[in-house]
Amino acid sequence: MDLIVSRRQMLKLGASALGAIVLAGCGNSTAGTTTTDASGDIKDLTFTPGKLTVATGNPAWTPWVMNDDPESGEGFEAALIYALAEKMGFAKEDVVWVRTDFGESFAPGTHDWDMNIQQVSINEDRKKAVDFSPAYFRTTQAIAVQKSSKYATATTLADFADATIAVMSGSTAYDYVIDLIKGGSTEGVDVFNDNSDAAAAVSAGQADAIVTDTTEIVYMVESEQVKDGVVVGQIPGSEDPYGLGITLAKDSPLTPAVTDAMNAILDDGTVQGLIDKWLAAYTTDIPTLS
């Protein structure tokens, strides 16, 4: 395995520490914990040595992060990070949370975080700018409207052909709306900086519908972010073929360890257990449009 250390990290480490890392070579896994060697040199490669800095959304949505409080470890992605960090050799108190907008999660360049998790779909374009962990969940997209809307009784995607649909900028929802509902046209597609603004547009009658991840849209309706809302249904053919992944800076020295740790908690059932605990209520019994 190649060990890749960025210029920023070389400056932070200094010659002696860097020499130790080079001698260590590549990572290994012992007693279920992934480190570069028995002394835990992986901790010298993080943005803040000894700490694992993890970015999430602002706000972070239920059920991914409960009550916008990732430090609690409650919610699927918050709990997943703590399970992953433990597998990598970091204690819970060594995990530091920061906030970013969605676009920064897959933007090229250096960042003030080690990993970013906020339902980022893996795709080839994004992989040119950042590294991804193995996929931890596969989402579908769904549509919500106000109960008083003429679209509330829709049963097919064709019913939304003339609807004004709100989506978040840079999201896979935008692509699905264009490709599957609008026939390749951008007419009738309103783009917002985040899903909060998109939901507000529907609540205010400025847009007819909102499309986003099924789990998130169920919560938006339940929490009245879409006022007097209803989830009409899931979009057929919208299951993410590549899944959601944690992002890291391109060629991050942490990527091999994150990959090993994620594969380990996928294989041992940890991730499925978290899906069952946090996401089942938001993904079952949602009809699929035709």
PDB file of all heavy atoms in Angstrom, residues 250-290:
ATOM      1  N   LYS A 250      -8.742  14.558  -1.604  1.00  0.00           N
ATOM      2  CA  LYS A 250      -8.178  13.670  -2.618  1.00  0.00           C
ATOM      3  C   LYS A 250      -6.801  13.185  -2.174  1.00  0.00           C
ATOM      4  O   LYS A 250      -5.945  13.960  -1.766  1.00  0.00           O
ATOM      5  CB  LYS A 250      -8.068  14.417  -3.956  1.00  0.00           C
ATOM      6  CG  LYS A 250      -7.724  13.520  -5.131  1.00  0.00           C
ATOM      7  CD  LYS A 250      -8.832  12.535  -5.407  1.00  0.00           C
ATOM      8  CE  LYS A 250      -8.523  11.653  -6.612  1.00  0.00           C
ATOM      9  NZ  LYS A 250      -9.572  10.615  -6.791  1.00  0.00           N
ATOM     10  N   ASP A 251      -6.595  11.860  -2.258  1.00  0.00           N
ATOM     11  CA  ASP A 251      -5.345  11.207  -1.878  1.00  0.00           C
ATOM     12  C   ASP A 251      -5.000  11.419  -0.413  1.00  0.00           C
ATOM     13  O   ASP A 251      -3.823  11.477  -0.026  1.00  0.00           O
ATOM     14  CB  ASP A 251      -4.176  11.694  -2.752  1.00  0.00           C
ATOM     15  CG  ASP A 251      -4.374  11.359  -4.222  1.00  0.00           C
ATOM     16  OD1 ASP A 251      -4.971  10.300  -4.513  1.00  0.00           O
ATOM     17  OD2 ASP A 251      -3.945  12.158  -5.082  1.00  0.00           O
ATOM     18  N   SER A 252      -6.018  11.510   0.419  1.00  0.00           N
ATOM     19  CA  SER A 252      -5.787  11.649   1.859  1.00  0.00           C
ATOM     20  C   SER A 252      -5.045  10.433   2.399  1.00  0.00           C
ATOM     21  O   SER A 252      -5.347   9.290   2.029  1.00  0.00           O
ATOM     22  CB  SER A 252      -7.125  11.770   2.594  1.00  0.00           C
ATOM     23  OG  SER A 252      -6.956  11.623   3.997  1.00  0.00           O
ATOM     24  N   PRO A 253      -4.078  10.628   3.293  1.00  0.00           N
ATOM     25  CA  PRO A 253      -3.395   9.480   3.902  1.00  0.00           C
ATOM     26  C   PRO A 253      -4.313   8.671   4.805  1.00  0.00           C
ATOM     27  O   PRO A 253      -3.969   7.555   5.195  1.00  0.00           O
ATOM     28  CB  PRO A 253      -2.258  10.125   4.696  1.00  0.00           C
ATOM     29  CG  PRO A 253      -2.727  11.505   4.978  1.00  0.00           C
ATOM     30  CD  PRO A 253      -3.537  11.917   3.777  1.00  0.00           C
ATOM     31  N   LEU A 254      -5.490   9.219   5.137  1.00  0.00           N
ATOM     32  CA  LEU A 254      -6.440   8.489   5.972  1.00  0.00           C
ATOM     33  C   LEU A 254      -7.330   7.544   5.172  1.00  0.00           C
ATOM     34  O   LEU A 254      -7.974   6.669   5.755  1.00  0.00           O
ATOM     35  CB  LEU A 254      -7.337   9.478   6.725  1.00  0.00           C
ATOM     36  CG  LEU A 254      -6.671  10.434   7.707  1.00  0.00           C
ATOM     37  CD1 LEU A 254      -7.719  11.323   8.345  1.00  0.00           C
ATOM     38  CD2 LEU A 254      -5.899   9.676   8.758  1.00  0.00           C
ATOM     39  N   THR A 255      -7.378   7.711   3.866  1.00  0.00           N
ATOM     40  CA  THR A 255      -8.314   6.935   3.055  1.00  0.00           C
ATOM     41  C   THR A 255      -8.153   5.428   3.225  1.00  0.00           C
ATOM     42  O   THR A 255      -9.164   4.719   3.391  1.00  0.00           O
ATOM     43  CB  THR A 255      -8.196   7.322   1.569  1.00  0.00           C
ATOM     44  OG1 THR A 255      -8.498   8.717   1.430  1.00  0.00           O
ATOM     45  CG2 THR A 255      -9.155   6.519   0.709  1.00  0.00           C
ATOM     46  N   PRO A 256      -6.924   4.872   3.205  1.00  0.00           N
ATOM     47  CA  PRO A 256      -6.818   3.412   3.394  1.00  0.00           C
ATOM     48  C   PRO A 256      -7.381   2.945   4.734  1.00  0.00           C
ATOM     49  O   PRO A 256      -8.060   1.914   4.800  1.00  0.00           O
ATOM     50  CB  PRO A 256      -5.312   3.156   3.291  1.00  0.00           C
ATOM     51  CG  PRO A 256      -4.783   4.294   2.481  1.00  0.00           C
ATOM     52  CD  PRO A 256      -5.610   5.479   2.887  1.00  0.00           C
ATOM     53  N   ALA A 257      -7.133   3.703   5.802  1.00  0.00           N
ATOM     54  CA  ALA A 257      -7.624   3.305   7.116  1.00  0.00           C
ATOM     55  C   ALA A 257      -9.142   3.423   7.195  1.00  0.00           C
ATOM     56  O   ALA A 257      -9.820   2.562   7.773  1.00  0.00           O
ATOM     57  CB  ALA A 257      -6.973   4.160   8.204  1.00  0.00           C
ATOM     58  N   VAL A 258      -9.699   4.482   6.607  1.00  0.00           N
ATOM     59  CA  VAL A 258     -11.151   4.646   6.587  1.00  0.00           C
ATOM     60  C   VAL A 258     -11.799   3.518   5.783  1.00  0.00           C
ATOM     61  O   VAL A 258     -12.819   2.954   6.182  1.00  0.00           O
ATOM     62  CB  VAL A 258     -11.533   6.023   6.009  1.00  0.00           C
ATOM     63  CG1 VAL A 258     -13.036   6.122   5.778  1.00  0.00           C
ATOM     64  CG2 VAL A 258     -11.076   7.132   6.946  1.00  0.00           C
ATOM     65  N   THR A 259     -11.192   3.169   4.661  1.00  0.00           N
ATOM     66  CA  THR A 259     -11.709   2.078   3.825  1.00  0.00           C
ATOM     67  C   THR A 259     -11.712   0.764   4.598  1.00  0.00           C
ATOM     68  O   THR A 259     -12.720   0.035   4.611  1.00  0.00           O
ATOM     69  CB  THR A 259     -10.855   1.939   2.554  1.00  0.00           C
ATOM     70  OG1 THR A 259     -10.944   3.150   1.793  1.00  0.00           O
ATOM     71  CG2 THR A 259     -11.343   0.773   1.699  1.00  0.00           C
ATOM     72  N   ASP A 260     -10.606   0.447   5.259  1.00  0.00           N
ATOM     73  CA  ASP A 260     -10.528  -0.795   6.027  1.00  0.00           C
ATOM     74  C   ASP A 260     -11.550  -0.811   7.155  1.00  0.00           C
ATOM     75  O   ASP A 260     -12.226  -1.825   7.393  1.00  0.00           O
ATOM     76  CB  ASP A 260      -9.117  -0.971   6.604  1.00  0.00           C
ATOM     77  CG  ASP A 260      -8.080  -1.304   5.543  1.00  0.00           C
ATOM     78  OD1 ASP A 260      -8.468  -1.642   4.402  1.00  0.00           O
ATOM     79  OD2 ASP A 260      -6.871  -1.220   5.853  1.00  0.00           O
ATOM     80  N   ALA A 261     -11.664   0.304   7.871  1.00  0.00           N
ATOM     81  CA  ALA A 261     -12.574   0.359   9.009  1.00  0.00           C
ATOM     82  C   ALA A 261     -14.030   0.265   8.565  1.00  0.00           C
ATOM     83  O   ALA A 261     -14.836  -0.439   9.190  1.00  0.00           O
ATOM     84  CB  ALA A 261     -12.334   1.644   9.799  1.00  0.00           C
ATOM     85  N   MET A 262     -14.372   0.955   7.476  1.00  0.00           N
ATOM     86  CA  MET A 262     -15.756   0.891   6.992  1.00  0.00           C
ATOM     87  C   MET A 262     -16.100  -0.513   6.513  1.00  0.00           C
ATOM     88  O   MET A 262     -17.191  -1.035   6.812  1.00  0.00           O
ATOM     89  CB  MET A 262     -15.979   1.900   5.865  1.00  0.00           C
ATOM     90  CG  MET A 262     -17.423   1.945   5.351  1.00  0.00           C
ATOM     91  SD  MET A 262     -18.609   2.526   6.583  1.00  0.00           S
ATOM     92  CE  MET A 262     -18.324   4.305   6.441  1.00  0.00           C
ATOM     93  N   ASN A 263     -15.206  -1.129   5.788  1.00  0.00           N
ATOM     94  CA  ASN A 263     -15.464  -2.500   5.347  1.00  0.00           C
ATOM     95  C   ASN A 263     -15.645  -3.434   6.535  1.00  0.00           C
ATOM     96  O   ASN A 263     -16.480  -4.351   6.504  1.00  0.00           O
ATOM     97  CB  ASN A 263     -14.330  -2.995   4.452  1.00  0.00           C
ATOM     98  CG  ASN A 263     -14.420  -2.455   3.035  1.00  0.00           C
ATOM     99  OD1 ASN A 263     -15.516  -2.188   2.536  1.00  0.00           O
ATOM    100  ND2 ASN A 263     -13.294  -2.288   2.373  1.00  0.00           N
ATOM    101  N   ALA A 264     -14.889  -3.215   7.597  1.00  0.00           N
ATOM    102  CA  ALA A 264     -14.994  -4.066   8.783  1.00  0.00           C
ATOM    103  C   ALA A 264     -16.357  -3.931   9.443  1.00  0.00           C
ATOM    104  O   ALA A 264     -16.981  -4.939   9.809  1.00  0.00           O
ATOM    105  CB  ALA A 264     -13.883  -3.720   9.776  1.00  0.00           C
ATOM    106  N   ILE A 265     -16.866  -2.690   9.592  1.00  0.00           N
ATOM    107  CA  ILE A 265     -18.159  -2.537  10.265  1.00  0.00           C
ATOM    108  C   ILE A 265     -19.334  -2.829   9.331  1.00  0.00           C
ATOM    109  O   ILE A 265     -20.447  -3.079   9.801  1.00  0.00           O
ATOM    110  CB  ILE A 265     -18.306  -1.149  10.927  1.00  0.00           C
ATOM    111  CG1 ILE A 265     -18.245  -0.011   9.906  1.00  0.00           C
ATOM    112  CG2 ILE A 265     -17.250  -0.969  12.010  1.00  0.00           C
ATOM    113  CD1 ILE A 265     -18.500   1.374  10.525  1.00  0.00           C
ATOM    114  N   LEU A 266     -19.092  -2.835   8.027  1.00  0.00           N
ATOM    115  CA  LEU A 266     -20.096  -3.357   7.106  1.00  0.00           C
ATOM    116  C   LEU A 266     -20.175  -4.875   7.224  1.00  0.00           C
ATOM    117  O   LEU A 266     -21.268  -5.453   7.288  1.00  0.00           O
ATOM    118  CB  LEU A 266     -19.762  -2.958   5.668  1.00  0.00           C
ATOM    119  CG  LEU A 266     -20.018  -1.505   5.256  1.00  0.00           C
ATOM    120  CD1 LEU A 266     -19.300  -1.190   3.947  1.00  0.00           C
ATOM    121  CD2 LEU A 266     -21.520  -1.240   5.103  1.00  0.00           C
ATOM    122  N   ASP A 267     -19.026  -5.511   7.271  1.00  0.00           N
ATOM    123  CA  ASP A 267     -18.970  -6.977   7.296  1.00  0.00           C
ATOM    124  C   ASP A 267     -19.486  -7.557   8.609  1.00  0.00           C
ATOM    125  O   ASP A 267     -20.091  -8.646   8.614  1.00  0.00           O
ATOM    126  CB  ASP A 267     -17.542  -7.460   7.045  1.00  0.00           C
ATOM    127  CG  ASP A 267     -17.070  -7.211   5.621  1.00  0.00           C
ATOM    128  OD1 ASP A 267     -17.927  -6.956   4.746  1.00  0.00           O
ATOM    129  OD2 ASP A 267     -15.849  -7.267   5.380  1.00  0.00           O
ATOM    130  N   ASP A 268     -19.249  -6.868   9.720  1.00  0.00           N
ATOM    131  CA  ASP A 268     -19.635  -7.463  11.008  1.00  0.00           C
ATOM    132  C   ASP A 268     -21.070  -7.119  11.422  1.00  0.00           C
ATOM    133  O   ASP A 268     -21.517  -7.496  12.509  1.00  0.00           O
ATOM    134  CB  ASP A 268     -18.643  -7.066  12.118  1.00  0.00           C
ATOM    135  CG  ASP A 268     -18.684  -5.581  12.493  1.00  0.00           C
ATOM    136  OD1 ASP A 268     -19.631  -4.873  12.082  1.00  0.00           O
ATOM    137  OD2 ASP A 268     -17.756  -5.124  13.202  1.00  0.00           O
ATOM    138  N   GLY A 269     -21.804  -6.428  10.571  1.00  0.00           N
ATOM    139  CA  GLY A 269     -23.214  -6.143  10.842  1.00  0.00           C
ATOM    140  C   GLY A 269     -23.478  -4.860  11.599  1.00  0.00           C
ATOM    141  O   GLY A 269     -24.648  -4.507  11.836  1.00  0.00           O
ATOM    142  N   THR A 270     -22.427  -4.130  11.966  1.00  0.00           N
ATOM    143  CA  THR A 270     -22.616  -2.884  12.715  1.00  0.00           C
ATOM    144  C   THR A 270     -23.448  -1.882  11.934  1.00  0.00           C
ATOM    145  O   THR A 270     -24.386  -1.277  12.467  1.00  0.00           O
ATOM    146  CB  THR A 270     -21.256  -2.263  13.075  1.00  0.00           C
ATOM    147  OG1 THR A 270     -20.537  -3.158  13.929  1.00  0.00           O
ATOM    148  CG2 THR A 270     -21.433  -0.921  13.781  1.00  0.00           C
ATOM    149  N   VAL A 271     -23.117  -1.690  10.662  1.00  0.00           N
ATOM    150  CA  VAL A 271     -23.828  -0.698   9.856  1.00  0.00           C
ATOM    151  C   VAL A 271     -25.293  -1.086   9.680  1.00  0.00           C
ATOM    152  O   VAL A 271     -26.192  -0.253   9.815  1.00  0.00           O
ATOM    153  CB  VAL A 271     -23.141  -0.510   8.491  1.00  0.00           C
ATOM    154  CG1 VAL A 271     -23.963   0.429   7.604  1.00  0.00           C
ATOM    155  CG2 VAL A 271     -21.728   0.039   8.669  1.00  0.00           C
ATOM    156  N   GLN A 272     -25.559  -2.359   9.402  1.00  0.00           N
ATOM    157  CA  GLN A 272     -26.943  -2.791   9.244  1.00  0.00           C
ATOM    158  C   GLN A 272     -27.716  -2.584  10.538  1.00  0.00           C
ATOM    159  O   GLN A 272     -28.898  -2.194  10.510  1.00  0.00           O
ATOM    160  CB  GLN A 272     -27.007  -4.255   8.822  1.00  0.00           C
ATOM    161  CG  GLN A 272     -28.416  -4.745   8.502  1.00  0.00           C
ATOM    162  CD  GLN A 272     -29.075  -3.941   7.395  1.00  0.00           C
ATOM    163  OE1 GLN A 272     -28.520  -3.779   6.304  1.00  0.00           O
ATOM    164  NE2 GLN A 272     -30.276  -3.420   7.655  1.00  0.00           N
ATOM    165  N   GLY A 273     -27.082  -2.836  11.664  1.00  0.00           N
ATOM    166  CA  GLY A 273     -27.746  -2.601  12.939  1.00  0.00           C
ATOM    167  C   GLY A 273     -28.124  -1.140  13.128  1.00  0.00           C
ATOM    168  O   GLY A 273     -29.214  -0.822  13.635  1.00  0.00           O
ATOM    169  N   LEU A 274     -27.254  -0.235  12.691  1.00  0.00           N
ATOM    170  CA  LEU A 274     -27.549   1.195  12.792  1.00  0.00           C
ATOM    171  C   LEU A 274     -28.653   1.597  11.819  1.00  0.00           C
ATOM    172  O   LEU A 274     -29.484   2.458  12.133  1.00  0.00           O
ATOM    173  CB  LEU A 274     -26.284   2.010  12.532  1.00  0.00           C
ATOM    174  CG  LEU A 274     -25.156   1.833  13.555  1.00  0.00           C
ATOM    175  CD1 LEU A 274     -23.921   2.614  13.139  1.00  0.00           C
ATOM    176  CD2 LEU A 274     -25.622   2.258  14.948  1.00  0.00           C
ATOM    177  N   ILE A 275     -28.666   0.995  10.629  1.00  0.00           N
ATOM    178  CA  ILE A 275     -29.752   1.246   9.674  1.00  0.00           C
ATOM    179  C   ILE A 275     -31.089   0.823  10.276  1.00  0.00           C
ATOM    180  O   ILE A 275     -32.082   1.561  10.229  1.00  0.00           O
ATOM    181  CB  ILE A 275     -29.496   0.505   8.352  1.00  0.00           C
ATOM    182  CG1 ILE A 275     -28.310   1.139   7.601  1.00  0.00           C
ATOM    183  CG2 ILE A 275     -30.738   0.513   7.463  1.00  0.00           C
ATOM    184  CD1 ILE A 275     -27.853   0.357   6.393  1.00  0.00           C
ATOM    185  N   ASP A 276     -31.111  -0.360  10.866  1.00  0.00           N
ATOM    186  CA  ASP A 276     -32.351  -0.863  11.470  1.00  0.00           C
ATOM    187  C   ASP A 276     -32.819   0.042  12.613  1.00  0.00           C
ATOM    188  O   ASP A 276     -34.022   0.269  12.779  1.00  0.00           O
ATOM    189  CB  ASP A 276     -32.135  -2.284  11.995  1.00  0.00           C
ATOM    190  CG  ASP A 276     -31.885  -3.289  10.880  1.00  0.00           C
ATOM    191  OD1 ASP A 276     -32.198  -2.974   9.713  1.00  0.00           O
ATOM    192  OD2 ASP A 276     -31.356  -4.381  11.182  1.00  0.00           O
ATOM    193  N   LYS A 277     -31.875   0.558  13.382  1.00  0.00           N
ATOM    194  CA  LYS A 277     -32.220   1.376  14.549  1.00  0.00           C
ATOM    195  C   LYS A 277     -32.706   2.766  14.162  1.00  0.00           C
ATOM    196  O   LYS A 277     -33.702   3.253  14.720  1.00  0.00           O
ATOM    197  CB  LYS A 277     -31.012   1.495  15.475  1.00  0.00           C
ATOM    198  CG  LYS A 277     -31.272   2.353  16.721  1.00  0.00           C
ATOM    199  CD  LYS A 277     -30.081   2.352  17.656  1.00  0.00           C
ATOM    200  CE  LYS A 277     -30.380   3.187  18.908  1.00  0.00           C
ATOM    201  NZ  LYS A 277     -29.237   3.173  19.863  1.00  0.00           N
ATOM    202  N   TRP A 278     -32.022   3.403  13.228  1.00  0.00           N
ATOM    203  CA  TRP A 278     -32.260   4.821  12.986  1.00  0.00           C
ATOM    204  C   TRP A 278     -33.056   5.145  11.722  1.00  0.00           C
ATOM    205  O   TRP A 278     -33.668   6.207  11.642  1.00  0.00           O
ATOM    206  CB  TRP A 278     -30.924   5.572  12.933  1.00  0.00           C
ATOM    207  CG  TRP A 278     -30.171   5.549  14.219  1.00  0.00           C
ATOM    208  CD1 TRP A 278     -29.016   4.864  14.494  1.00  0.00           C
ATOM    209  CD2 TRP A 278     -30.513   6.235  15.433  1.00  0.00           C
ATOM    210  NE1 TRP A 278     -28.620   5.085  15.786  1.00  0.00           N
ATOM    211  CE2 TRP A 278     -29.524   5.924  16.390  1.00  0.00           C
ATOM    212  CE3 TRP A 278     -31.557   7.090  15.795  1.00  0.00           C
ATOM    213  CZ2 TRP A 278     -29.549   6.433  17.686  1.00  0.00           C
ATOM    214  CZ3 TRP A 278     -31.589   7.604  17.094  1.00  0.00           C
ATOM    215  CH2 TRP A 278     -30.596   7.273  18.018  1.00  0.00           C
ATOM    216  N   LEU A 279     -33.037   4.258  10.731  1.00  0.00           N
ATOM    217  CA  LEU A 279     -33.617   4.615   9.443  1.00  0.00           C
ATOM    218  C   LEU A 279     -34.883   3.851   9.063  1.00  0.00           C
ATOM    219  O   LEU A 279     -35.602   4.276   8.158  1.00  0.00           O
ATOM    220  CB  LEU A 279     -32.579   4.425   8.322  1.00  0.00           C
ATOM    221  CG  LEU A 279     -31.299   5.247   8.419  1.00  0.00           C
ATOM    222  CD1 LEU A 279     -30.425   5.012   7.189  1.00  0.00           C
ATOM    223  CD2 LEU A 279     -31.602   6.737   8.587  1.00  0.00           C
ATOM    224  N   ALA A 280     -35.149   2.736   9.712  1.00  0.00           N
ATOM    225  CA  ALA A 280     -36.272   1.891   9.294  1.00  0.00           C
ATOM    226  C   ALA A 280     -37.594   2.656   9.271  1.00  0.00           C
ATOM    227  O   ALA A 280     -38.399   2.515   8.343  1.00  0.00           O
ATOM    228  CB  ALA A 280     -36.385   0.669  10.196  1.00  0.00           C
ATOM    229  N   ALA A 281     -37.823   3.492  10.270  1.00  0.00           N
ATOM    230  CA  ALA A 281     -39.096   4.216  10.359  1.00  0.00           C
ATOM    231  C   ALA A 281     -39.260   5.244   9.250  1.00  0.00           C
ATOM    232  O   ALA A 281     -40.378   5.705   8.983  1.00  0.00           O
ATOM    233  CB  ALA A 281     -39.208   4.907  11.713  1.00  0.00           C
ATOM    234  N   TYR A 282     -38.155   5.595   8.593  1.00  0.00           N
ATOM    235  CA  TYR A 282     -38.186   6.627   7.568  1.00  0.00           C
ATOM    236  C   TYR A 282     -38.088   6.062   6.152  1.00  0.00           C
ATOM    237  O   TYR A 282     -38.095   6.827   5.181  1.00  0.00           O
ATOM    238  CB  TYR A 282     -37.047   7.619   7.785  1.00  0.00           C
ATOM    239  CG  TYR A 282     -37.130   8.354   9.104  1.00  0.00           C
ATOM    240  CD1 TYR A 282     -36.603   7.802  10.260  1.00  0.00           C
ATOM    241  CD2 TYR A 282     -37.749   9.597   9.188  1.00  0.00           C
ATOM    242  CE1 TYR A 282     -36.682   8.472  11.477  1.00  0.00           C
ATOM    243  CE2 TYR A 282     -37.833  10.277  10.387  1.00  0.00           C
ATOM    244  CZ  TYR A 282     -37.291   9.709  11.538  1.00  0.00           C
ATOM    245  OH  TYR A 282     -37.375  10.371  12.727  1.00  0.00           O
ATOM    246  N   THR A 283     -38.003   4.772   6.039  1.00  0.00           N
ATOM    247  CA  THR A 283     -37.795   4.184   4.714  1.00  0.00           C
ATOM    248  C   THR A 283     -38.814   3.108   4.356  1.00  0.00           C
ATOM    249  O   THR A 283     -38.842   2.651   3.211  1.00  0.00           O
ATOM    250  CB  THR A 283     -36.385   3.554   4.618  1.00  0.00           C
ATOM    251  OG1 THR A 283     -36.209   2.603   5.677  1.00  0.00           O
ATOM    252  CG2 THR A 283     -35.296   4.606   4.736  1.00  0.00           C
ATOM    253  N   THR A 284     -39.642   2.698   5.305  1.00  0.00           N
ATOM    254  CA  THR A 284     -40.626   1.652   5.030  1.00  0.00           C
ATOM    255  C   THR A 284     -42.019   2.248   4.853  1.00  0.00           C
ATOM    256  O   THR A 284     -42.315   3.346   5.323  1.00  0.00           O
ATOM    257  CB  THR A 284     -40.654   0.603   6.166  1.00  0.00           C
ATOM    258  OG1 THR A 284     -40.936   1.277   7.400  1.00  0.00           O
ATOM    259  CG2 THR A 284     -39.320  -0.103   6.271  1.00  0.00           C
ATOM    260  N   ASP A 285     -42.873   1.511   4.147  1.00  0.00           N
ATOM    261  CA  ASP A 285     -44.283   1.896   3.947  1.00  0.00           C
ATOM    262  C   ASP A 285     -44.437   3.214   3.198  1.00  0.00           C
ATOM    263  O   ASP A 285     -45.447   3.913   3.357  1.00  0.00           O
ATOM    264  CB  ASP A 285     -45.028   1.979   5.287  1.00  0.00           C
ATOM    265  CG  ASP A 285     -45.017   0.652   6.028  1.00  0.00           C
ATOM    266  OD1 ASP A 285     -45.066  -0.391   5.364  1.00  0.00           O
ATOM    267  OD2 ASP A 285     -44.947   0.663   7.278  1.00  0.00           O
ATOM    268  N   ILE A 286     -43.463   3.555   2.350  1.00  0.00           N
ATOM    269  CA  ILE A 286     -43.570   4.744   1.501  1.00  0.00           C
ATOM    270  C   ILE A 286     -43.891   4.257   0.093  1.00  0.00           C
ATOM    271  O   ILE A 286     -43.109   3.506  -0.493  1.00  0.00           O
ATOM    272  CB  ILE A 286     -42.266   5.568   1.473  1.00  0.00           C
ATOM    273  CG1 ILE A 286     -41.791   5.858   2.892  1.00  0.00           C
ATOM    274  CG2 ILE A 286     -42.469   6.845   0.680  1.00  0.00           C
ATOM    275  CD1 ILE A 286     -42.738   6.695   3.707  1.00  0.00           C
ATOM    276  N   PRO A 287     -45.036   4.624  -0.468  1.00  0.00           N
ATOM    277  CA  PRO A 287     -45.391   4.118  -1.808  1.00  0.00           C
ATOM    278  C   PRO A 287     -44.422   4.587  -2.880  1.00  0.00           C
ATOM    279  O   PRO A 287     -43.742   5.623  -2.716  1.00  0.00           O
ATOM    280  CB  PRO A 287     -46.787   4.685  -2.038  1.00  0.00           C
ATOM    281  CG  PRO A 287     -46.839   5.897  -1.169  1.00  0.00           C
ATOM    282  CD  PRO A 287     -46.035   5.570   0.036  1.00  0.00           C
ATOM    283  N   THR A 288     -44.365   3.860  -3.961  1.00  0.00           N
ATOM    284  CA  THR A 288     -43.538   4.238  -5.099  1.00  0.00           C
ATOM    285  C   THR A 288     -44.435   4.647  -6.263  1.00  0.00           C
ATOM    286  O   THR A 288     -45.390   3.927  -6.602  1.00  0.00           O
ATOM    287  CB  THR A 288     -42.622   3.078  -5.552  1.00  0.00           C
ATOM    288  OG1 THR A 288     -41.756   2.735  -4.450  1.00  0.00           O
ATOM    289  CG2 THR A 288     -41.779   3.468  -6.747  1.00  0.00           C
ATOM    290  N   LEU A 289     -44.172   5.802  -6.824  1.00  0.00           N
ATOM    291  CA  LEU A 289     -44.945   6.277  -7.967  1.00  0.00           C
ATOM    292  C   LEU A 289     -44.676   5.425  -9.189  1.00  0.00           C
ATOM    293  O   LEU A 289     -43.636   4.746  -9.276  1.00  0.00           O
ATOM    294  CB  LEU A 289     -44.607   7.735  -8.262  1.00  0.00           C
ATOM    295  CG  LEU A 289     -44.884   8.731  -7.134  1.00  0.00           C
ATOM    296  CD1 LEU A 289     -44.245  10.077  -7.440  1.00  0.00           C
ATOM    297  CD2 LEU A 289     -46.390   8.896  -6.909  1.00  0.00           C
ATOM    298  N   SER A 290     -45.566   5.448 -10.132  1.00  0.00           N
ATOM    299  CA  SER A 290     -45.368   4.679 -11.380  1.00  0.00           C
ATOM    300  C   SER A 290     -44.965   5.621 -12.506  1.00  0.00           C
ATOM    301  O   SER A 290     -44.933   6.844 -12.331  1.00  0.00           O
ATOM    302  CB  SER A 290     -46.654   3.943 -11.748  1.00  0.00           C
ATOM    303  OG  SER A 290     -47.718   4.848 -11.936  1.00  0.00           O
TER     304      SER A 290
END
